[in-house]
Amino acid sequence: MGGCVGSHHDSSGSLNENSDGTGVALGRNQPLKRERPKWKSDYPMTEGQLRSKRDEFWDTAPAFEGRKEIWDALRAAASAFESNDHLLAQAILDGASITLPHGALTECYDELGNRYQLPVYCLSPPVNMIEERSEELDGSDPDSGAADPSTCSGSDTAGGECQLRLRLSTGRDLRLAVRSTDTVGMMKRRLQSHEGVPASTQRWFFSGRPLTDRLRLDQLNISRDYVVQVILSQPPPPEPESTPGLTPEATGSVAVEMVLEPMRVEN
């Protein structure tokens, strides 16, 4: 995974030493090269798996080190680079004052000397990329994915059960048994019944956009290669209990009346 470490460079774009004395003599800034990196995944990867891997990197890397505005610029430049729009990618880098010592996005620096490293899977697809299975499977083939319970997409039989991959903000990954006709609100309640997480504290996101409670699963077309992010927030503190029908002021007035009520003396 990529990262960010501290270093310094002068105004000419050449890099100097780190504060601990270790050298990073990487040369001056170079324009972005047009060659796309070639790499091979450890396993045949689908487009959905690649997208999920990239989303995980872009969601986590800026949270640890570096400046968010630089990460945003690098993400935009990487997208333009993969689309063969090198002029746009170079313009984004120049606008953010990002230096490329080797002319590649795999290692770059901001104007403060912080180093950013992008993994190759964010810049190009692997050479062993495979195609996703068609969603229009009739189920006649016993080896087809139509009957696979791990797939959640709009092609499932109405109300068919499937396994939905969730990643909680606590860092835990799990699979939730849902139906393709379930709404997000219903799935939140399913998660609550299985994990004890109140539905009101759950916020669901898919591909960077929030999911409203009325959306149905079959409208999202989520395949087995995708992960739904679930952000958990703390529930509001419970309100103090009070006597029904009596406000604190009313309770106080009753007490006063009881104290001040004159005693009757019988002769």
Side-chain angles (χ1 to χ4, degrees):
M1 197 168 96
C4 166
V5 296
S7 62
H8 302 281
H9 64 82
D10 57 29
S11 58
S12 65
S14 60
L15 301 176
N16 300 322
E17 293 185 346
N18 287 324
S19 57
D20 59 0
T22 58
V24 287
L26 299 176
R28 296 178 179 274
N29 183 27
Q30 297 185 19
L32 179 63
K33 297 179 181 179
R34 293 180 173 270
E35 294 80 7
R36 297 169 63 177
K38 293 183 179 181
W39 63 284
K40 184 177 181 180
S41 175
D42 295 335
Y43 56 90
M45 182 178 294
T46 65
E47 183 180 355
Q49 289 172 323
L50 177 62
R51 186 180 300 110
S52 179
K53 191 176 182 68
R54 288 177 175 180
D55 289 343
E56 183 178 1
F57 170 78
W58 292 117
D59 289 342
T60 56
F64 294 99
E65 293 179 300
R67 298 156 57 193
K68 183 180 183 302
E69 61 271 21
I70 300 298
W71 283 116
D72 291 342
L74 288 173
R75 185 172 188 175
S79 177
F81 174 78
E82 189 176 18
S83 302
N84 293 321
D85 194 343
H86 296 85
L87 291 178
L88 176 59
Q90 186 66 62
I92 294 173
L93 296 172
D94 293 341
S97 299
I98 296 175
T99 301
L100 306 180
H102 301 296
L105 288 170
T106 51
E107 185 173 15
C108 42
Y109 294 78
D110 64 14
E111 58 187 349
L112 300 180
N114 299 312
R115 184 172 68 174
Y116 301 78
Q117 295 175 297
L118 301 189
V120 290
Y121 59 76
C122 286
L123 304 175
S124 63
V127 295
N128 56 341
M129 173 83 77
I130 59 176
E131 295 184 0
E132 305 230 18
R133 290 182 178 180
S134 173
E135 294 183 354
E136 298 178 356
L137 299 174
D138 56 7
S140 58
D141 184 357
D143 295 329
S144 69
D148 191 340
S150 65
T151 302
C152 290
S153 66
S155 63
D156 290 333
T157 304
E161 188 173 280
C162 59
Q163 298 290 323
L164 183 65
R165 291 183 58 190
L166 302 179
R167 177 165 297 156
L168 308 184
S169 56
T170 57
R172 182 184 175 193
D173 288 2
L174 55 90
R175 290 184 180 271
L176 182 67
V178 296
R179 293 186 177 275
S180 58
T181 54
D182 285 350
T183 63
V184 174
M186 295 169 63
M187 292 186 289
K188 286 182 178 180
R189 291 190 290 272
R190 283 180 184 263
L191 181 59
Q192 176 177 348
S193 63
H194 283 79
E195 301 294 327
V197 181
S200 59
T201 66
Q202 303 174 28
R203 290 184 297 160
W204 288 37
F205 294 84
F206 176 62
S207 294
R209 66 185 182 95
L211 304 181
T212 60
D213 288 350
R214 294 185 178 182
L215 279 175
R216 290 183 9 157
L217 179 59
D218 55 10
Q219 296 175 315
L220 301 176
N221 292 326
I222 302 176
S223 72
R224 77 181 73 182
D225 304 318
Y226 293 81
V227 177
V228 175
Q229 304 283 342
V230 180
I231 307 299
L232 305 178
S233 59
Q234 294 293 332
E239 296 182 358
E241 296 182 358
S242 58
T243 305
L246 292 178
T247 62
E249 293 79 4
T251 305
S253 63
V254 172
V256 171
E257 291 176 1
M258 292 176 63
V259 172
L260 299 181
E261 183 179 0
M263 298 179 59
R264 297 181 180 179
V265 180
E266 297 182 358
N267 295 329

